[in-house]
């Protein structure tokens, strides 16, 4: 099955032991992180809205949302190769995802990751 057109969601909840180390760690690190892989298709917005529906009754500030776009670099180029069009596309995708996030009342951070 093709991965094109599919948003990816990963959950990272703190384990029980992390609660014991709360004094040694910043509170933000003990906050669950929801990781969204965005590709710039309508499924991105649907996944973000579904997340918000899933969290109905939960304080949106009690989780951290991280939206990531994976920029695929051809094997013939180094990972740090200049790809201005791809970088601009990634920025547009993350910007659109941020707009959806803002409409559902969640704060988020974004990142572009390069991979093969």
């Amino acid at each position: 099955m093709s991965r094109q057109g599919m948003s990816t969601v990963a959950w990272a909840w703190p384990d029980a032991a992390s609660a014991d180390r709360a004094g040694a760690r910043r509170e933000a690190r003990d906050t669950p992180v929801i990781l969204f892989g965005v590709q710039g298709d309508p499924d991105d917005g649907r996944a973000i809205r579904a997340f918000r529906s899933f969290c109905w009754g939960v304080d949106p500030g009690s989780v951290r949302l991280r939206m990531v776009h994976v920029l695929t670099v051809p094997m013939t180029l180094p990972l740090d190769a200049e790809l201005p069009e791809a970088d601009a596309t990634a920025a547009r995708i993350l910007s659109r995802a941020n707009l959806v996030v803002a409409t559902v009342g969640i704060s988020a951070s974004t990142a572009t990751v390069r991979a093969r």
Side-chain angles (χ1 to χ4, degrees), residues 12-74:
W13 295 98
D15 60 15
S18 68
D20 296 335
R21 291 177 259 142
R25 296 173 57 188
R26 291 183 300 144
E27 184 177 321
R29 292 212 170 169
D30 291 331
T31 304
V33 176
I34 288 69
L35 180 66
F36 274 80
V38 293
Q39 294 300 317
D41 57 38
D43 287 338
D44 296 343
R46 285 193 284 272
I48 293 167
R49 287 183 190 93
F51 163 72
R52 183 63 183 115
S53 295
F54 176 74
C55 291
W56 186 257
V58 174
D59 174 21
S62 65
V63 295
R64 291 185 298 148
L65 181 62
R66 168 72 86 159
M67 295 184 296
V68 177
H69 176 73
V70 179
L71 194 154
T72 305
V73 179

Side-chain angles (χ1 to χ4, degrees), residues 75-93:
M75 294 296 283
T76 57
L77 298 173
L79 277 174
D80 61 351
E82 290 191 29
L83 300 168
E85 287 182 31
D87 287 330
T89 299
R92 280 193 305 273
I93 289 170

